[in-house]
């Protein structure tokens, strides 16, 4: 059985795709293969590679505009997660009563594969890649999609896997209604993207908990028992699925926990118990123990062998730009954490290192509350080097917590200053807490510039 009954949405007629990125083009190809009359519309310029794909597939499209007459005659609309609900066109389409869904919702209609879905404010990319790594190493025919990898819809159309590991953002979840996750993971919930949720935390939490909607008693819900927002929301958002909590602050009979010997224990009814010392994990740091717990629970729910899990959890290499070790120069470790675009991500990064830290941070401030970082900055950070335009609030937040706060003129300048301030045994950490769009194209560009600057030292 596919993960959504076909009767919920039209199965023929005109399919309009809004947004021609990875998810949009994938949805267009799947729609074409299923017999829809497909039209793709993007307000911006369509990347050459995607344009070439649409032309090759014979799919009609437009760029630089949404022509109203070509969009409102849809039978079904698949929307890019980047388009907000408040956009005038979306409001008009809603007013016409047209179904507007995400690529994930659309594609799930056409597969009976197991859907292993991971969300969270932090750690979801690492956990998704780690889970995929474990399942792939175990010999499963598994796809990687969602916020990462190739389009889910494209893989459903042209590849056909037995299972998919999907990284799901809150923006995707907002346009998912009948979708059902065989395994739903919520890693944590901390303030992020609140501008899309009327600046109300409860709206953002409700979006994350759409992960568990439609789950059945044979499904699994994996969540962090140590995360206050998640725990507070459990009663409001019930699920029939088996609960598998993970914790580093106690012991659970079912789920995952850390014992006094620093062994990670995974216990699921009717499965062999899994035990692995955290020193054997390839990913170190408290937050990565959580990521391994979540991924390990997904793997054990799929009845993977302990030896396979241990080998994979001991050999995984983390994603680029997330606590990525760049180099050790003169006894100083340089760490690229450019993907840390919110305060909570920086908290995780600072928590990961025990040495003196020279912290490079700043960029486009999204209304950050730096209060949660103050204790860690006071105890671990010897200097802060600001990058980007919004440096004033960083100075205000930490002027009493560290000896040195200086501005830089470029990433190269920031790295040069850091190299002079850092001594043997220190860590230079790029963990910005901010968006990158003032000085850089995106967080990848920011991380690449950091790595280039480090390698020229």
């Amino acid at each position: 059985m596919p993960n959504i009954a076909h009767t919920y949405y039209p199965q023929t007629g005109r399919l309009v795709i809004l947004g021609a990125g990875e998810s949009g083009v994938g949805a267009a190809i799947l729609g074409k293969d299923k017999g829809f009359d497909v039209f793709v519309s993007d307000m911006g310029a369509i990347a050459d590679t995607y344009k070439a794909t649409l032309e090759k597939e014979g799919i009609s499209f437009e760029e630089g505009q949404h022509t109203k007459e070509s969009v409102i005659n849809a039978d079904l609309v698949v929307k890019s997660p980047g388009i907000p609900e408040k956009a005038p066109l979306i409001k008009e389409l809603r007013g016409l009563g047209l179904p507007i869904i995400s690529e994930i919702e659309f594609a799930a209609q056409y597969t009976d594969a197991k859907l292993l879905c991971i969300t969270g404010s932090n750690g979801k990319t690492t956990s998704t890649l780690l889970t995929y790594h474990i399942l792939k190493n175990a010999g499963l025919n598994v796809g990687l999609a969602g916020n990462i990898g190739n389009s889910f819809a494209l893989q459903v159309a042209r590849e056909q896997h037995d299972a998919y590991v999907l990284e799901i953002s809150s923006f995707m979840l907002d346009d998912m209604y009948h979708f059902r996750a065989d395994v739903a993971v919520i890693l944590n919930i901390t303030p992020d993207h609140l501008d899309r949720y009327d600046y109300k935390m409860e709206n953002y939490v409700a979006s994350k908990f759409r992960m568990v909607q439609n789950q059945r008693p044979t499904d699994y819900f994996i969540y962090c028992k140590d995360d206050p927002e998640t725990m507070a929301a459990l009663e409001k958002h019930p699920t029939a699925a088996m609960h598998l909590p993970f914790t580093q602050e106690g012991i659970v009979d079912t789920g995952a926990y850390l014992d006094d010997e620093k062994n990670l224990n995974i216990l699921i009814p009717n499965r062999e118990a899994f035990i692995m010392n955290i020193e054997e994990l390839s990913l170190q740091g408290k937050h990565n123990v959580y990521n391994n717990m979540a991924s390990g629970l997904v793997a054990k729910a799929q009845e993977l062998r302990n030896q396979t899990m241990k080998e994979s959890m001991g050999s995984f290499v983390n994603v680029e730009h997330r606590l990525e070790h760049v180099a050790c120069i003169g006894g100083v470790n340089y760490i690229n954490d450019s993907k840390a675009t919110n305060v909570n991500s920086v908290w995780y990064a600072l928590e990961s290192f025990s040495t003196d830290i020279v912290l490079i941070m700043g960029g486009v401030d999204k209304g950050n509350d730096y209060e949660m970082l103050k204790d860690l900055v006071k105890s671990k950070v010897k200097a802060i080097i600001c990058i980007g335009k919004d440096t004033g609030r960083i100075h205000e937040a930490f002027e009493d917590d560290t000896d040195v706060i200086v501005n830089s003129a470029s990433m190269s300048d920031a790295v040069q200053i850091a190299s002079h301030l850092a001594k043997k045994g220190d860590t230079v950490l790029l963990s910005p807490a901010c968006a990158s769009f003032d000085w850089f194209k995106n967080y990848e560009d920011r991380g690449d510039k950091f790595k280039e600057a480090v390698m020229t030292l």
Side-chain angles (χ1 to χ4, degrees):
M1 279 286 293
N3 293 68
I4 301 175
H6 279 247
T7 51
Y8 285 118
Y9 301 113
Q11 297 300 302
T12 57
R14 184 169 172 83
L15 173 66
V16 171
I17 316 278
L18 299 178
E22 180 68 28
S23 66
V25 172
I29 291 170
L30 177 60
K32 176 200 146 188
D33 286 2
K34 296 299 175 184
F36 283 92
D37 169 27
V38 182
F39 179 68
V40 178
S41 176
D42 198 309
M43 270 300 278
I46 300 175
D48 290 343
T49 51
Y50 293 133
K51 209 185 293 189
T53 299
L54 291 169
E55 287 168 351
K56 181 184 165 195
E57 295 284 342
I59 295 169
S60 59
F61 64 89
E62 66 176 354
E63 59 182 330
Q65 62 183 345
H66 291 313
T67 306
K68 186 175 166 184
E69 296 73 28
S70 302
V71 172
I72 64 170
N73 62 350
D75 295 295
L76 178 64
V77 177
V78 172
K79 173 175 86 66
S80 162
I83 302 172
E85 194 63 29
K86 293 170 186 167
L89 178 63
I90 301 303
K91 285 183 173 179
E92 188 166 351
L93 292 171
R94 292 275 185 214
L96 293 169
L98 290 173
I100 304 172
I101 60 176
S102 71
E103 173 233 357
I104 305 290
E105 179 94 342
F106 178 63
Q109 299 176 96
Y110 302 106
T111 180
D112 56 3
K114 282 194 174 178
L115 302 182
L116 317 173
C117 307
I118 298 170
T119 195
S121 302
N122 294 287
K124 59 182 177 288
T125 300
T126 300
S127 293
T128 302
L129 286 169
L130 175 57
T131 302
Y132 175 71
H133 176 72
I134 297 169
L135 299 182
K136 188 100 174 145
N137 281 0
L140 273 66
N141 172 21
V142 59
L144 173 71
N147 236 13
I148 194 169
N150 295 326
S151 157
F152 176 46
L154 180 63
Q155 292 181 62
V156 168
R158 302 282 166 92
E159 293 182 22
Q160 301 295 328
H161 296 289
D162 297 329
Y164 292 91
V165 183
L166 303 177
E167 179 188 330
I168 309 281
S169 70
S170 59
F171 295 172
M172 292 173 175
L173 285 163
D174 291 337
D175 296 307
M176 290 159 62
Y177 304 93
H178 303 289
F179 173 95
R180 180 185 59 79
D182 294 274
V183 178
V185 181
I186 299 179
L187 295 166
N188 48 60
I189 305 175
T190 58
D192 199 13
H193 306 300
L194 291 187
D195 52 329
R196 279 279 286 257
Y197 297 99
D198 299 324
Y199 296 94
K200 292 179 180 172
M201 188 64 184
E202 62 268 29
N203 293 354
Y204 178 57
V205 171
S207 174
K208 286 295 188 191
F209 265 85
R210 292 173 75 89
M211 278 289 277
V212 303
Q213 64 188 355
N214 310 313
Q215 281 199 296
R216 305 173 305 194
T218 51
D219 300 325
Y220 295 95
F221 173 35
I222 296 168
Y223 59 93
C224 182
K225 199 166 185 281
D226 304 338
D227 184 68
E229 290 288 355
T230 302
M231 295 307 292
L234 281 177
E235 283 186 30
K236 278 189 192 170
H237 305 279
T239 172
M242 176 182 281
H243 284 226
L244 298 176
F246 56 92
T247 176
Q248 295 184 46
E249 297 175 4
I251 293 175
V252 291
D253 295 329
T254 300
Y257 68 92
L258 208 55
D259 65 25
D260 293 339
E261 282 75 48
K262 299 293 180 188
N263 291 315
L264 192 166
N265 292 258
I266 294 176
L267 304 171
I268 299 180
N270 306 315
R271 305 276 192 277
E272 184 187 359
F274 175 86
I275 302 173
M276 183 175 183
N277 193 276
I278 61 170
E279 289 184 6
E280 299 174 75
L281 300 172
S282 65
L283 299 179
Q284 292 294 304
K286 186 176 181 182
H287 63 292
N288 278 321
V289 172
Y290 284 126
N291 291 335
N292 273 278
M293 285 176 165
S295 296
L297 282 165
V298 177
K300 185 48 72 175
Q302 303 311 300
E303 302 187 55
L304 266 58
R305 290 171 57 247
N306 285 353
Q307 191 54 40
T308 302
M309 289 171 59
K310 282 183 181 176
E311 286 168 5
S312 299
M313 290 159 79
S315 65
F316 177 71
V317 178
N318 200 6
V319 62
E320 192 178 18
H321 306 298
R322 189 68 180 111
L323 294 173
E324 175 191 8
H325 187 269
V326 178
C328 182
I329 300 171
V332 176
N333 282 303
Y334 290 82
I335 306 293
N336 168 26
D337 194 37
S338 183
K339 200 171 189 294
T341 58
N342 60 47
V343 171
N344 205 65
S345 293
V346 180
W347 186 93
Y348 277 118
L350 292 174
E351 190 275 334
S352 298
F353 301 101
S354 55
T355 56
D356 286 339
I357 297 168
V358 177
L359 177 62
I360 301 174
M361 69 186 303
V364 181
D365 191 307
K366 300 185 286 184
N368 288 341
D369 180 0
Y370 293 108
E371 187 64 33
M372 71 181 294
L373 297 180
K374 287 175 78 67
D375 287 345
L376 278 170
V377 168
K378 201 176 286 186
S379 61
K380 292 189 173 189
V381 175
K382 64 189 291 185
I384 294 175
I385 301 161
C386 299
I387 56 173
K389 291 177 180 172
D390 297 335
T391 62
R393 294 194 63 242
I394 294 172
H395 282 267
E396 287 168 22
F398 301 115
E399 60 186 358
D400 297 328
D401 303 314
T402 190
D403 294 335
V404 179
I405 306 182
V406 294
N407 293 344
S408 62
S410 65
M411 182 60 82
S412 178
D413 184 38
V415 170
Q416 285 287 344
I417 295 167
S419 71
H420 292 304
L421 291 171
K423 295 190 175 81
K424 186 176 181 180
D426 290 356
T427 297
V428 172
L429 172 67
L430 169 68
S431 195
C434 298
S436 55
F437 308 122
D438 48 356
W439 283 8
F440 311 97
K441 292 182 210 155
N442 46 42
Y443 77 80
E444 292 98 335
D445 180 43
R446 177 169 61 192
D448 288 339
K449 294 285 194 299
F450 174 74
K451 291 194 281 187
E452 287 167 18
V454 170
M455 298 319 287
T456 60
L457 288 174

